[in-house]
Amino acid sequence: MQLLNMLLMCAMACVWLPAAYAADSQQGAAGQAAEAIVLTLNERVAVVRNAEVTLDAPPVLVRDTTMVPLRFIGESLGAKIAWDAATKNITLTNGTDRIALKLDQTYATINGKRVLLEQPAVLMGDTTMVPLRFIAEAIKLDVAFDADRQSITLTGQGTGSGPSPRKKLGQPTVENLTQQLVQYKGGTHLINNRLTYEVTAQSEILSIAAADANQVYILKKIVSGSNAYQLLKWNGKDGTIAPEAAFDFDEKLSFDYLDRYNLKSSMDYRYIVPQKLYYDDASRKLYLQAAPTKAGFESDLSTVIYEISPNVKMVTYFVSKNTNDESHNFFAAAGDNAFYYGDLSTGKLCRAKAGERCEPFSSFSSERGNNKLTAAVRGDEAFVFDPAQQRLSKVTPNGLEDVVRLNVDRIRSAASRNGLFYVANDRYIYELNTEGKLTEYVDLQKVVYKRGVFNPVTKRYDTMDAPDSFSRTRLSVPGVIEWTPESILSADASGNLVMYDSKSSAVRKINVYPE
């Protein structure tokens, strides 16, 4: 209590600085330093208003995030703390503001609004460790890191108005992350008794999903010979792109299920057709939407959802006689054990628990057309955006309830991330929140295009390979963004955008914020 009173006096002193401090910059700086809270990485002694305080555990770096003991947050930052041992929920209250975290959960909420964490709260020994910068900024304290001294300094008023907004780049940039991903081959074919020379693609990019600022997953179909599939991962630390080592399209995808008569059936992985990737921020899991082929395989199974990273397992499935194109259907995860799925071919809205059949609970009108729906989750609520109808809807027990209908020029692509939608047309990329507010996010006529392929190691741009003689007839060196039906938009955890540019067959990044 004594320490808390000291900190309150510190906060008052920081607000009501004497005029003499303002007049003398050196004296003012010294006074500010005296009122600061200073911690040092891997040291248990902190300094609060020039008084030494011993922590339960030293601040440590976890995934480049400074973690400090929960008790220190309450005592030194003036926040009231509630800990629920049964649910592992942590609640910090500062004035009228409420911050909620959960052990090992990758997001927190500030006054009910979900915010992605770079590192969740964790238990280290008997001490609960929480991310310092996130909580300090949430109650409006300034955080400064001194790399030479390995120290963290907290200053400010503690008004509790939330993290300071990040500043966007003055001018967004577009950089190429990969070389050409699709190969072409020329050959002579007999068509209608005539020899015809054709150039055909030997592969196809079906889907991409940005996992974070340093990873992009790419689903690739190899069309030469028998169809095969690859899950590739672009590594933002070294710029390499390679098959995901932890995953193969093999027998791990086989599973047993209940058909529409509740009889046990089996699904063989060889009849699985992968189609679409979905990354969930809250669980940091990568999901795959697949549609079992009906060719040579009698089944009423129309859709399968798998978790494919970090583990490989069936999550849920949908039973229907229809054959689905999963690129048009939506899937959303509302936690580890609650999932939503929308099937356009039947107009059914479904929900499921992990490992169980996805059961319809409502329906929506098929007049929405054969559109590529995109879903986002905010808290426990799911929202769906229909690019063709320009309609944002909320998933309710009665179906899809309209939130807003947009009126912008033709929408080319859409994506979602962390409870937000990103909507692209030829001129702009907009940000659309779940309340229906549309904001200009990127003006594509004002971006700066970087030439070459970005090399994260050297921070330079390597020469981009020119398409070979066959590919040159179908592809071009990346230039101004031109959307096609095969273009794919995604968003990473930093608020930057990633796209597959089908004109050049390369993955490109639109930097809105500095890394």
Side-chain angles (χ1 to χ4, degrees), residues 363-446:
S363 60
F364 59 97
S365 173
S366 59
E367 70 180 9
R368 294 174 181 269
N370 212 14
N371 308 324
K372 294 186 177 181
L373 303 181
T374 302
V377 173
R378 188 193 67 187
D380 295 327
E381 297 178 324
F383 296 80
V384 180
F385 181 69
D386 180 340
Q389 298 291 324
Q390 299 200 16
R391 193 190 307 260
L392 173 66
S393 306
K394 180 180 177 180
V395 177
T396 74
N398 298 318
L400 294 183
E401 178 183 289
D402 286 344
V403 175
V404 71
R405 188 160 185 173
L406 306 181
N407 182 23
V408 299
D409 288 339
R410 183 180 177 185
I411 294 175
R412 299 290 191 171
S413 190
S416 66
R417 190 67 184 249
N418 197 27
L420 296 168
F421 293 92
Y422 299 93
V423 180
N425 65 12
D426 291 326
R427 171 68 188 271
Y428 297 104
I429 297 177
Y430 300 94
E431 181 184 84
L432 175 66
N433 68 19
T434 53
E435 285 77 36
K437 181 181 178 181
L438 188 72
T439 307
E440 181 185 313
Y441 199 63
V442 179
D443 184 341
L444 293 175
Q445 292 188 2
K446 296 181 179 180

Coordinates of all heavy atoms in Angstrom, one line a residue, residues 363-446:
S363 N -30.2 -20.6 -41.7 CA -29.9 -20.6 -43.2 C -29.9 -19.1 -43.6 O -30.2 -18.2 -42.9 CB -31.0 -21.3 -43.9 OG -32.3 -20.7 -43.7
F364 N -29.3 -19.0 -44.8 CA -29.3 -17.6 -45.5 C -29.7 -17.8 -46.9 O -29.6 -18.9 -47.5 CB -28.0 -17.0 -45.3 CG -26.8 -17.7 -45.9 CD1 -26.3 -17.4 -47.2 CD2 -26.2 -18.7 -45.2 CE1 -25.3 -18.1 -47.7 CE2 -25.1 -19.4 -45.7 CZ -24.6 -19.1 -47.0
S365 N -30.1 -16.7 -47.5 CA -30.7 -16.7 -48.8 C -29.6 -17.0 -49.9 O -28.5 -16.4 -49.8 CB -31.4 -15.4 -49.1 OG -31.8 -15.4 -50.5
S366 N -29.9 -17.9 -50.8 CA -29.0 -18.2 -51.9 C -28.9 -17.1 -52.9 O -28.1 -17.1 -53.8 CB -29.3 -19.5 -52.6 OG -30.6 -19.4 -53.1
E367 N -29.8 -16.0 -52.8 CA -29.7 -14.9 -53.7 C -28.4 -14.1 -53.6 O -28.0 -13.4 -54.5 CB -30.9 -13.9 -53.4 CG -30.7 -13.2 -52.1 CD -31.9 -12.2 -51.8 OE1 -32.9 -12.3 -52.6 OE2 -31.8 -11.4 -50.9
R368 N -27.7 -14.4 -52.5 CA -26.4 -13.8 -52.4 C -25.4 -14.2 -53.4 O -24.4 -13.7 -53.6 CB -25.8 -14.0 -51.0 CG -26.7 -13.4 -49.9 CD -26.2 -13.8 -48.5 NE -27.0 -13.2 -47.5 CZ -26.8 -12.0 -46.9 NH1 -25.7 -11.3 -47.3 NH2 -27.6 -11.5 -46.1
G369 N -25.7 -15.3 -54.1 CA -24.9 -15.7 -55.3 C -23.7 -16.5 -54.9 O -23.5 -16.9 -53.8
N370 N -23.0 -16.9 -56.0 CA -21.8 -17.7 -55.8 C -20.6 -16.9 -55.5 O -19.7 -16.8 -56.3 CB -21.6 -18.6 -57.1 CG -21.1 -19.9 -56.8 OD1 -21.0 -20.4 -55.7 ND2 -20.6 -20.6 -57.8
N371 N -20.6 -16.2 -54.3 CA -19.6 -15.3 -54.0 C -18.6 -15.8 -53.1 O -18.8 -16.8 -52.3 CB -20.3 -14.0 -53.4 CG -21.4 -13.5 -54.3 OD1 -21.3 -13.5 -55.5 ND2 -22.5 -13.1 -53.7
K372 N -17.4 -15.2 -53.0 CA -16.3 -15.6 -52.1 C -16.5 -14.9 -50.8 O -16.0 -13.8 -50.6 CB -15.0 -15.3 -52.8 CG -14.7 -16.1 -54.0 CD -13.3 -15.9 -54.5 CE -13.0 -16.8 -55.7 NZ -11.7 -16.7 -56.2
L373 N -17.2 -15.5 -49.9 CA -17.5 -14.9 -48.6 C -16.2 -14.9 -47.7 O -15.4 -15.8 -47.8 CB -18.6 -15.7 -47.9 CG -19.9 -15.8 -48.6 CD1 -20.9 -16.6 -47.8 CD2 -20.5 -14.5 -49.0
T374 N -16.1 -13.9 -46.9 CA -15.0 -13.8 -45.9 C -15.6 -13.6 -44.5 O -16.5 -12.8 -44.4 CB -14.1 -12.6 -46.3 OG1 -13.6 -12.8 -47.6 CG2 -12.9 -12.5 -45.4
A375 N -15.0 -14.2 -43.5 CA -15.5 -14.1 -42.2 C -14.5 -13.5 -41.2 O -13.3 -13.7 -41.4 CB -16.0 -15.5 -41.7
A376 N -15.0 -12.9 -40.2 CA -14.2 -12.4 -39.1 C -14.9 -12.6 -37.8 O -16.1 -12.7 -37.7 CB -13.9 -10.9 -39.3
V377 N -14.1 -12.7 -36.7 CA -14.6 -12.9 -35.4 C -14.2 -11.8 -34.5 O -13.1 -11.3 -34.5 CB -14.1 -14.3 -34.8 CG1 -14.5 -14.4 -33.3 CG2 -14.6 -15.4 -35.6
R378 N -15.2 -11.2 -33.7 CA -14.9 -10.2 -32.7 C -15.5 -10.7 -31.4 O -16.7 -10.9 -31.3 CB -15.6 -8.9 -33.1 CG -15.1 -7.7 -32.2 CD -16.0 -6.5 -32.4 NE -17.4 -6.8 -31.9 CZ -18.4 -6.0 -32.1 NH1 -18.2 -4.8 -32.8 NH2 -19.6 -6.3 -31.7
G379 N -14.7 -11.0 -30.5 CA -15.1 -11.7 -29.2 C -15.7 -13.1 -29.6 O -15.0 -13.9 -30.2
D380 N -16.9 -13.3 -29.2 CA -17.6 -14.6 -29.6 C -18.5 -14.4 -30.7 O -19.3 -15.4 -31.0 CB -18.3 -15.1 -28.3 CG -17.4 -15.5 -27.2 OD1 -16.3 -15.9 -27.5 OD2 -17.8 -15.3 -26.0
E381 N -18.5 -13.3 -31.4 CA -19.5 -13.0 -32.5 C -18.8 -13.2 -33.9 O -17.6 -12.8 -34.0 CB -20.1 -11.6 -32.4 CG -20.9 -11.4 -31.1 CD -21.4 -10.0 -31.0 OE1 -20.7 -9.1 -31.4 OE2 -22.6 -9.9 -30.6
A382 N -19.5 -13.7 -34.8 CA -18.9 -13.9 -36.2 C -19.6 -13.0 -37.1 O -20.9 -12.8 -37.0 CB -19.1 -15.4 -36.6
F383 N -18.9 -12.5 -38.1 CA -19.4 -11.6 -39.1 C -18.9 -12.1 -40.5 O -17.9 -12.7 -40.6 CB -18.9 -10.1 -38.9 CG -19.4 -9.5 -37.6 CD1 -18.7 -9.8 -36.4 CD2 -20.5 -8.7 -37.6 CE1 -19.2 -9.3 -35.2 CE2 -20.9 -8.1 -36.4 CZ -20.3 -8.4 -35.2
V384 N -19.7 -11.8 -41.5 CA -19.5 -12.3 -42.9 C -19.6 -11.1 -43.8 O -20.5 -10.3 -43.8 CB -20.5 -13.4 -43.3 CG1 -20.2 -13.9 -44.7 CG2 -20.4 -14.5 -42.3
F385 N -18.6 -11.0 -44.7 CA -18.6 -10.0 -45.8 C -18.7 -10.7 -47.1 O -18.0 -11.6 -47.4 CB -17.4 -9.1 -45.7 CG -17.4 -8.0 -46.8 CD1 -18.3 -7.0 -46.7 CD2 -16.6 -8.1 -47.9 CE1 -18.3 -6.0 -47.7 CE2 -16.6 -7.1 -48.9 CZ -17.5 -6.1 -48.8
D386 N -19.7 -10.2 -47.9 CA -20.0 -10.7 -49.3 C -19.5 -9.7 -50.3 O -20.1 -8.6 -50.4 CB -21.5 -11.0 -49.4 CG -21.9 -11.5 -50.8 OD1 -21.1 -11.3 -51.7 OD2 -23.0 -12.1 -50.9
P387 N -18.3 -9.9 -50.9 CA -17.8 -8.8 -51.8 C -18.7 -8.5 -53.0 O -18.8 -7.4 -53.4 CB -16.5 -9.5 -52.3 CG -16.1 -10.5 -51.3 CD -17.4 -11.0 -50.8
A388 N -19.4 -9.5 -53.6 CA -20.2 -9.3 -54.8 C -21.4 -8.4 -54.4 O -21.8 -7.5 -55.2 CB -20.6 -10.6 -55.4
Q389 N -22.0 -8.7 -53.2 CA -23.2 -7.9 -52.8 C -22.8 -6.7 -52.0 O -23.7 -5.9 -51.6 CB -24.1 -8.8 -52.0 CG -24.7 -10.0 -52.7 CD -25.7 -9.6 -53.8 OE1 -26.4 -8.7 -53.6 NE2 -25.7 -10.3 -54.9
Q390 N -21.5 -6.6 -51.7 CA -21.0 -5.5 -50.8 C -21.7 -5.4 -49.5 O -22.1 -4.3 -49.0 CB -21.0 -4.2 -51.6 CG -20.2 -4.1 -52.8 CD -19.9 -2.7 -53.3 OE1 -20.0 -1.8 -52.6 NE2 -19.4 -2.6 -54.5
R391 N -22.0 -6.6 -48.9 CA -22.8 -6.7 -47.8 C -22.1 -7.2 -46.6 O -21.5 -8.3 -46.7 CB -24.0 -7.5 -48.1 CG -25.2 -7.4 -47.0 CD -26.2 -8.5 -47.3 NE -26.7 -8.6 -48.6 CZ -27.9 -8.0 -49.0 NH1 -28.6 -7.4 -48.2 NH2 -28.2 -8.1 -50.3
L392 N -22.1 -6.5 -45.4 CA -21.5 -7.0 -44.2 C -22.7 -7.5 -43.3 O -23.7 -6.8 -43.1 CB -20.8 -5.9 -43.5 CG -20.3 -6.3 -42.0 CD1 -19.2 -7.4 -42.1 CD2 -19.7 -5.0 -41.3
S393 N -22.6 -8.7 -42.8 CA -23.7 -9.3 -42.0 C -23.1 -9.9 -40.7 O -21.9 -10.3 -40.6 CB -24.4 -10.4 -42.8 OG -24.8 -10.0 -44.0
K394 N -24.0 -10.0 -39.7 CA -23.6 -10.6 -38.5 C -24.3 -12.0 -38.4 O -25.5 -12.1 -38.8 CB -24.1 -9.8 -37.3 CG -23.8 -10.3 -35.9 CD -24.3 -9.4 -34.8 CE -24.1 -10.0 -33.5 NZ -24.6 -9.1 -32.4
V395 N -23.6 -13.0 -37.9 CA -24.2 -14.3 -37.8 C -25.0 -14.4 -36.5 O -24.5 -14.1 -35.4 CB -23.1 -15.4 -37.7 CG1 -23.7 -16.8 -37.5 CG2 -22.2 -15.4 -39.0
T396 N -26.3 -14.6 -36.7 CA -27.2 -14.7 -35.6 C -28.0 -16.0 -35.6 O -28.0 -16.7 -36.6 CB -28.3 -13.5 -35.6 OG1 -29.2 -13.8 -36.6 CG2 -27.6 -12.2 -35.9
P397 N -28.7 -16.4 -34.5 CA -29.5 -17.6 -34.5 C -30.6 -17.6 -35.6 O -31.0 -18.7 -36.0 CB -30.1 -17.6 -33.1 CG -29.2 -16.8 -32.3 CD -28.7 -15.8 -33.2
N398 N -30.9 -16.4 -36.1 CA -31.9 -16.3 -37.2 C -31.4 -16.2 -38.6 O -32.1 -16.0 -39.5 CB -32.8 -15.1 -36.9 CG -33.6 -15.3 -35.6 OD1 -34.1 -16.3 -35.2 ND2 -33.6 -14.2 -34.8
G399 N -30.0 -16.3 -38.7 CA -29.4 -16.2 -40.0 C -28.4 -15.1 -40.0 O -27.9 -14.7 -39.0
L400 N -28.2 -14.6 -41.3 CA -27.3 -13.4 -41.4 C -28.1 -12.1 -41.3 O -29.0 -11.9 -42.1 CB -26.6 -13.5 -42.8 CG -25.6 -14.7 -43.0 CD1 -24.9 -14.6 -44.3 CD2 -24.6 -14.7 -41.9
E401 N -27.7 -11.3 -40.3 CA -28.4 -10.1 -40.0 C -27.5 -9.0 -40.6 O -26.4 -8.8 -40.3 CB -28.5 -9.9 -38.5 CG -29.2 -8.6 -38.1 CD -29.2 -8.5 -36.6 OE1 -30.0 -9.2 -36.0 OE2 -28.5 -7.7 -36.1
D402 N -28.1 -8.2 -41.6 CA -27.3 -7.1 -42.2 C -26.8 -6.1 -41.3 O -27.6 -5.6 -40.4 CB -28.2 -6.5 -43.3 CG -28.3 -7.4 -44.5 OD1 -27.6 -8.4 -44.7 OD2 -29.2 -7.1 -45.4
V403 N -25.6 -5.7 -41.4 CA -25.0 -4.6 -40.6 C -24.9 -3.4 -41.5 O -25.3 -2.3 -41.1 CB -23.6 -5.0 -40.1 CG1 -22.9 -3.8 -39.4 CG2 -23.7 -6.1 -39.2
V404 N -24.4 -3.5 -42.7 CA -24.3 -2.4 -43.7 C -24.1 -2.9 -45.1 O -23.6 -4.1 -45.3 CB -23.0 -1.5 -43.3 CG1 -21.7 -2.2 -43.6 CG2 -23.1 -0.1 -44.0
R405 N -24.5 -2.2 -46.0 CA -24.3 -2.5 -47.4 C -23.5 -1.3 -48.0 O -23.9 -0.2 -48.0 CB -25.6 -2.7 -48.2 CG -25.3 -3.2 -49.6 CD -26.6 -3.8 -50.2 NE -26.3 -4.4 -51.5 CZ -27.2 -5.2 -52.2 NH1 -28.4 -5.4 -51.6 NH2 -26.8 -5.7 -53.3
L406 N -22.3 -1.6 -48.6 CA -21.4 -0.6 -49.1 C -21.9 -0.2 -50.5 O -22.7 -0.8 -51.2 CB -20.0 -1.2 -49.2 CG -19.4 -1.7 -47.9 CD1 -18.0 -2.2 -48.1 CD2 -19.5 -0.7 -46.7
N407 N -21.3 1.0 -50.9 CA -21.5 1.5 -52.2 C -20.2 2.1 -52.7 O -20.0 3.3 -52.8 CB -22.6 2.6 -52.2 CG -23.0 3.1 -53.6 OD1 -22.7 2.4 -54.6 ND2 -23.5 4.3 -53.6
V408 N -19.3 1.2 -53.1 CA -18.0 1.6 -53.6 C -17.9 1.0 -55.0 O -18.6 0.1 -55.4 CB -16.9 1.1 -52.7 CG1 -17.0 1.8 -51.3 CG2 -16.8 -0.4 -52.6
D409 N -16.9 1.4 -55.8 CA -16.6 0.9 -57.1 C -16.3 -0.6 -56.9 O -16.0 -1.1 -55.8 CB -15.4 1.6 -57.7 CG -15.8 3.0 -58.2 OD1 -17.0 3.3 -58.3 OD2 -14.9 3.8 -58.3
R410 N -16.4 -1.3 -58.0 CA -16.3 -2.8 -58.0 C -15.2 -3.3 -57.1 O -14.0 -3.0 -57.2 CB -16.0 -3.2 -59.5 CG -16.0 -4.7 -59.6 CD -15.7 -5.1 -61.1 NE -15.6 -6.5 -61.2 CZ -15.2 -7.1 -62.3 NH1 -14.9 -6.4 -63.4 NH2 -15.1 -8.4 -62.4
I411 N -15.6 -4.2 -56.2 CA -14.7 -4.8 -55.3 C -14.0 -6.0 -55.9 O -14.7 -6.9 -56.5 CB -15.4 -5.3 -54.0 CG1 -16.0 -4.1 -53.2 CG2 -14.5 -6.1 -53.1 CD1 -16.8 -4.4 -52.0
R412 N -12.7 -6.0 -55.8 CA -11.9 -7.1 -56.5 C -11.5 -8.2 -55.6 O -11.4 -9.4 -56.0 CB -10.6 -6.4 -57.0 CG -10.9 -5.4 -58.1 CD -11.4 -6.0 -59.4 NE -11.4 -5.0 -60.5 CZ -11.7 -5.3 -61.7 NH1 -12.0 -6.6 -62.0 NH2 -11.7 -4.4 -62.6
S413 N -11.3 -7.9 -54.3 CA -10.9 -8.9 -53.3 C -11.1 -8.5 -51.9 O -11.3 -7.3 -51.7 CB -9.4 -9.2 -53.5 OG -9.0 -10.4 -52.8
A414 N -11.2 -9.4 -51.0 CA -11.4 -9.1 -49.6 C -10.7 -10.1 -48.7 O -10.5 -11.2 -49.1 CB -12.9 -9.0 -49.3
A415 N -10.4 -9.6 -47.5 CA -9.7 -10.5 -46.5 C -10.1 -10.0 -45.1 O -10.8 -8.9 -45.0 CB -8.2 -10.4 -46.6
S416 N -9.8 -10.8 -44.1 CA -10.1 -10.4 -42.7 C -8.9 -10.7 -41.8 O -8.1 -11.6 -42.1 CB -11.4 -11.1 -42.2 OG -11.2 -12.5 -42.1
R417 N -8.9 -9.9 -40.7 CA -7.8 -10.2 -39.7 C -8.2 -9.5 -38.4 O -8.5 -8.3 -38.4 CB -6.5 -9.7 -40.2 CG -5.3 -10.1 -39.3 CD -5.1 -11.6 -39.5 NE -4.0 -12.1 -38.6 CZ -2.8 -12.6 -39.0 NH1 -2.6 -12.6 -40.3 NH2 -1.9 -13.0 -38.2
N418 N -8.1 -10.2 -37.3 CA -8.3 -9.6 -36.0 C -9.5 -8.7 -35.9 O -9.5 -7.6 -35.4 CB -7.0 -8.7 -35.7 CG -6.9 -8.4 -34.2 OD1 -7.4 -9.2 -33.4 ND2 -6.3 -7.3 -33.9
G419 N -10.7 -9.3 -36.4 CA -12.0 -8.6 -36.3 C -12.2 -7.5 -37.2 O -13.2 -6.7 -37.1
L420 N -11.3 -7.4 -38.3 CA -11.5 -6.3 -39.3 C -11.5 -6.9 -40.7 O -10.9 -8.0 -40.9 CB -10.3 -5.3 -39.2 CG -10.2 -4.5 -37.9 CD1 -8.9 -3.7 -37.9 CD2 -11.4 -3.5 -37.8
F421 N -12.2 -6.3 -41.6 CA -12.1 -6.7 -43.0 C -11.3 -5.7 -43.8 O -11.3 -4.5 -43.5 CB -13.6 -6.7 -43.6 CG -14.4 -7.8 -42.9 CD1 -15.2 -7.5 -41.8 CD2 -14.5 -9.1 -43.5 CE1 -16.0 -8.5 -41.3 CE2 -15.3 -10.0 -42.9 CZ -16.0 -9.8 -41.8
Y422 N -10.7 -6.2 -44.9 CA -10.0 -5.4 -45.8 C -10.5 -5.6 -47.2 O -10.6 -6.7 -47.6 CB -8.5 -5.7 -45.8 CG -7.9 -5.4 -44.4 CD1 -7.8 -6.4 -43.4 CD2 -7.5 -4.1 -44.0 CE1 -7.3 -6.2 -42.2 CE2 -6.9 -3.9 -42.8 CZ -6.9 -4.9 -41.8 OH -6.4 -4.7 -40.6
V423 N -11.0 -4.5 -47.8 CA -11.8 -4.6 -49.0 C -11.0 -3.8 -50.1 O -10.8 -2.6 -50.0 CB -13.2 -4.0 -48.8 CG1 -14.0 -4.1 -50.1 CG2 -13.9 -4.7 -47.7
A424 N -10.7 -4.5 -51.2 CA -9.9 -3.9 -52.3 C -10.7 -3.7 -53.6 O -11.4 -4.6 -54.0 CB -8.7 -4.7 -52.6
N425 N -10.5 -2.5 -54.2 CA -10.9 -2.3 -55.6 C -9.7 -1.8 -56.3 O -8.6 -1.8 -55.8 CB -12.1 -1.4 -55.7 CG -11.9 0.0 -55.2 OD1 -10.8 0.4 -55.0 ND2 -13.0 0.8 -55.1
D426 N -9.9 -1.3 -57.5 CA -8.8 -0.9 -58.4 C -8.0 0.3 -57.8 O -6.8 0.4 -58.1 CB -9.3 -0.6 -59.8 CG -9.7 -1.9 -60.5 OD1 -9.2 -2.9 -60.3 OD2 -10.7 -1.8 -61.3
R427 N -8.7 1.1 -57.1 CA -8.0 2.4 -56.6 C -7.6 2.3 -55.1 O -6.5 2.7 -54.7 CB -8.9 3.6 -56.8 CG -8.5 4.9 -56.2 CD -7.2 5.4 -56.8 NE -6.7 6.6 -56.1 CZ -7.0 7.8 -56.3 NH1 -8.0 8.1 -57.2 NH2 -6.5 8.8 -55.6
Y428 N -8.5 1.7 -54.3 CA -8.3 1.8 -52.8 C -8.3 0.4 -52.2 O -8.9 -0.6 -52.8 CB -9.3 2.6 -52.2 CG -9.3 4.1 -52.5 CD1 -10.3 4.6 -53.4 CD2 -8.4 4.9 -52.0 CE1 -10.3 5.9 -53.8 CE2 -8.4 6.3 -52.4 CZ -9.3 6.8 -53.3 OH -9.3 8.1 -53.6
I429 N -7.7 0.3 -51.0 CA -8.0 -0.8 -50.1 C -8.6 -0.2 -48.9 O -8.0 0.8 -48.3 CB -6.7 -1.6 -49.8 CG1 -6.2 -2.3 -51.0 CG2 -7.1 -2.7 -48.7 CD1 -4.9 -3.1 -50.8
Y430 N -9.8 -0.6 -48.5 CA -10.5 0.0 -47.4 C -10.4 -1.0 -46.2 O -10.2 -2.2 -46.3 CB -12.0 0.2 -47.7 CG -12.3 1.1 -48.9 CD1 -12.4 0.6 -50.1 CD2 -12.4 2.5 -48.7 CE1 -12.7 1.4 -51.2 CE2 -12.7 3.3 -49.7 CZ -12.8 2.8 -51.0 OH -13.1 3.6 -52.1
E431 N -10.5 -0.3 -45.0 CA -10.7 -1.1 -43.7 C -12.2 -1.0 -43.3 O -12.7 0.1 -43.3 CB -9.8 -0.5 -42.6 CG -9.9 -1.3 -41.3 CD -9.0 -0.7 -40.2 OE1 -9.5 0.3 -39.6 OE2 -7.9 -1.1 -40.1
L432 N -12.8 -2.1 -43.0 CA -14.2 -2.2 -42.6 C -14.3 -2.9 -41.3 O -13.9 -4.0 -41.1 CB -15.0 -3.0 -43.7 CG -16.5 -3.2 -43.4 CD1 -17.3 -1.9 -43.4 CD2 -17.1 -4.2 -44.4
N433 N -14.8 -2.2 -40.3 CA -15.0 -2.8 -39.0 C -16.4 -3.5 -38.9 O -17.2 -3.3 -39.7 CB -14.7 -1.8 -37.8 CG -15.8 -0.7 -37.7 OD1 -16.9 -0.8 -38.2 ND2 -15.4 0.3 -37.0
T434 N -16.6 -4.2 -37.8 CA -17.8 -5.0 -37.7 C -19.0 -4.1 -37.3 O -20.1 -4.6 -37.3 CB -17.6 -6.1 -36.6 OG1 -17.2 -5.5 -35.4 CG2 -16.6 -7.1 -37.0
E435 N -18.8 -2.8 -37.0 CA -19.9 -1.9 -36.9 C -20.4 -1.3 -38.2 O -21.4 -0.6 -38.3 CB -19.6 -0.8 -35.9 CG -19.5 -1.2 -34.4 CD -18.3 -1.9 -34.1 OE1 -17.2 -1.6 -34.7 OE2 -18.3 -2.9 -33.3
G436 N -19.6 -1.6 -39.3 CA -20.0 -1.1 -40.6 C -19.3 0.2 -41.0 O -19.6 0.7 -42.1
K437 N -18.3 0.6 -40.2 CA -17.5 1.8 -40.6 C -16.5 1.5 -41.6 O -15.6 0.6 -41.4 CB -16.9 2.4 -39.3 CG -16.1 3.7 -39.6 CD -15.5 4.3 -38.4 CE -14.7 5.6 -38.6 NZ -14.0 6.1 -37.4
L438 N -16.5 2.2 -42.7 CA -15.5 2.0 -43.8 C -14.5 3.2 -43.8 O -14.9 4.3 -43.8 CB -16.3 1.9 -45.1 CG -15.5 1.5 -46.4 CD1 -15.1 0.1 -46.3 CD2 -16.3 1.9 -47.7
T439 N -13.2 2.8 -43.8 CA -12.2 3.8 -43.8 C -11.2 3.5 -44.9 O -10.8 2.4 -45.1 CB -11.4 3.8 -42.4 OG1 -12.4 3.9 -41.4 CG2 -10.4 4.9 -42.4
E440 N -10.8 4.6 -45.6 CA -9.7 4.4 -46.6 C -8.4 4.0 -45.9 O -8.0 4.6 -45.0 CB -9.5 5.7 -47.4 CG -8.4 5.6 -48.5 CD -8.1 7.0 -49.1 OE1 -9.1 7.7 -49.4 OE2 -7.0 7.3 -49.2
Y441 N -7.9 2.9 -46.4 CA -6.7 2.3 -45.7 C -5.4 2.5 -46.6 O -4.4 2.9 -46.0 CB -6.9 0.8 -45.5 CG -6.0 0.1 -44.5 CD1 -6.1 0.5 -43.2 CD2 -5.2 -0.9 -44.8 CE1 -5.3 -0.1 -42.2 CE2 -4.4 -1.5 -43.9 CZ -4.4 -1.1 -42.6 OH -3.6 -1.7 -41.7
V442 N -5.5 2.2 -47.9 CA -4.4 2.4 -48.8 C -4.9 3.0 -50.1 O -5.9 2.5 -50.7 CB -3.7 1.1 -49.1 CG1 -2.5 1.3 -50.1 CG2 -3.2 0.4 -47.8
D443 N -4.3 4.0 -50.6 CA -4.5 4.6 -51.9 C -3.5 4.0 -52.8 O -2.3 4.3 -52.8 CB -4.4 6.1 -51.9 CG -4.8 6.7 -53.2 OD1 -4.8 6.0 -54.3 OD2 -5.1 7.9 -53.3
L444 N -3.9 3.0 -53.7 CA -3.0 2.3 -54.5 C -2.3 3.2 -55.6 O -1.3 2.8 -56.2 CB -3.7 1.1 -55.2 CG -4.2 0.0 -54.2 CD1 -5.0 -1.0 -55.0 CD2 -3.0 -0.6 -53.5
Q445 N -2.8 4.4 -55.8 CA -2.2 5.3 -56.7 C -1.1 6.1 -56.1 O -0.4 6.8 -56.7 CB -3.2 6.2 -57.4 CG -4.2 5.5 -58.3 CD -5.1 6.5 -59.0 OE1 -5.0 7.7 -58.9 NE2 -6.0 6.0 -59.8
K446 N -0.9 5.9 -54.7 CA 0.1 6.7 -54.0 C 1.1 5.8 -53.3 O 1.9 6.3 -52.5 CB -0.6 7.6 -53.0 CG -1.5 8.7 -53.6 CD -2.1 9.5 -52.5 CE -3.0 10.6 -53.2 NZ -3.7 11.5 -52.1

